[in-house]
Amino acid sequence: GPIDNPAVDARAFVRASDGTEAGFRIGGTVQELDVSTYSVPPKSDSDVMAYILFGRPMNQTSSSEGNQASNSAAILGANMLGMALAPSLGLDEARIDTGSSSSENKAQFVVGRYLSPRLFVGYGVGIYEPISTLRIRYLLSARWSIEVITGDQQSTDLLWRIERWGRKPQPTAEEEGSSDAASELGAQ
């Protein structure tokens, strides 16, 4: 493919003690990634997630582990659908966000768009609870951005980026959206 949109062909997997290989297959191009789960030998999606998370099939997990694997499979499927539909809807982001909370009641459907190369606006609506969140992020420089979040809690965060391995930061909004070595300083 073109140099600014190279092809991707990668796998990330775990190998369980019973010899089952389960993981993610990533293909397509950088701008249009296709992410799917797989296993050798073939297993159901919930079994694949159980192998990835716990190293064993669903029927050998506890009920809470089984629920976690099923929820992870559902969220992964919804996120893959969101990634596929976002560009056709004029969005830069469409996903399920479970946040940092272990409570699944905080899960939100999040959509967002870059209004300019430096300004990102996102909106999240609660899946289980009537919570909505508005997020505005502005890129100040290649390393610094400011983010304001309002919803059930309000916060203003100053985000900075530290690149490893000698790479120079790129002052684009797309790069700012990645999670490579990002750090966060929050002021609430």
Side-chain angles (χ1 to χ4, degrees):
I3 194 161
D4 63 340
N5 190 24
V8 176
D9 184 17
R11 283 196 272 177
F13 63 91
V14 295
R15 189 160 312 195
S17 60
D18 67 1
T20 299
E21 181 180 301
F24 299 100
R25 184 174 290 127
I26 306 162
T29 65
V30 169
Q31 294 177 1
E32 291 185 32
L33 288 177
D34 179 30
V35 181
S36 60
T37 59
Y38 80 97
S39 68
V40 178
K43 306 278 185 189
S44 69
D45 286 341
S46 57
D47 270 343
V48 171
M49 289 307 295
Y51 271 104
I52 291 169
L53 294 170
F54 311 112
R56 56 189 180 275
M58 184 69 85
N59 63 6
Q60 294 178 10
T61 62
S62 68
S63 63
S64 65
E65 289 174 334
N67 288 338
Q68 184 180 357
S70 294
N71 289 341
S72 296
I75 289 170
L76 176 65
N79 283 340
M80 288 175 10
L81 179 62
M83 286 185 336
L85 291 177
S88 64
L89 299 173
L91 300 170
D92 295 309
E93 178 178 282
R95 62 185 169 82
I96 303 293
D97 182 15
T98 57
S100 58
S101 172
S102 60
S103 168
E104 61 187 46
N105 293 339
K106 296 286 185 181
Q108 290 187 332
F109 177 66
V110 177
V111 295
R113 181 175 179 153
Y114 285 96
L115 300 180
S116 76
R118 293 182 174 265
L119 180 63
F120 176 83
V121 175
Y123 180 74
V125 63
I127 295 174
Y128 301 106
E129 292 182 2
I131 298 172
S132 60
T133 304
L134 177 65
R135 176 183 311 249
I136 299 172
R137 185 181 327 123
Y138 186 76
L139 182 65
L140 299 170
S141 70
R143 294 183 188 250
W144 294 90
S145 62
I146 190 163
E147 183 173 75
V148 177
I149 302 170
T150 184
D152 61 340
Q153 296 180 353
Q154 284 74 36
S155 70
T156 301
D157 299 319
L158 183 61
L159 307 168
W160 76 92
R161 183 176 186 83
I162 300 172
E163 293 287 331
R164 296 187 225 180
W165 304 290
R167 294 187 311 192
K168 294 182 180 177
Q170 301 296 317
T172 64
E174 290 81 16
E175 172 135 335
E176 179 64 22
S178 74
S179 62
D180 183 29
S183 300
E184 184 175 317
L185 172 67
Q188 297 194 15

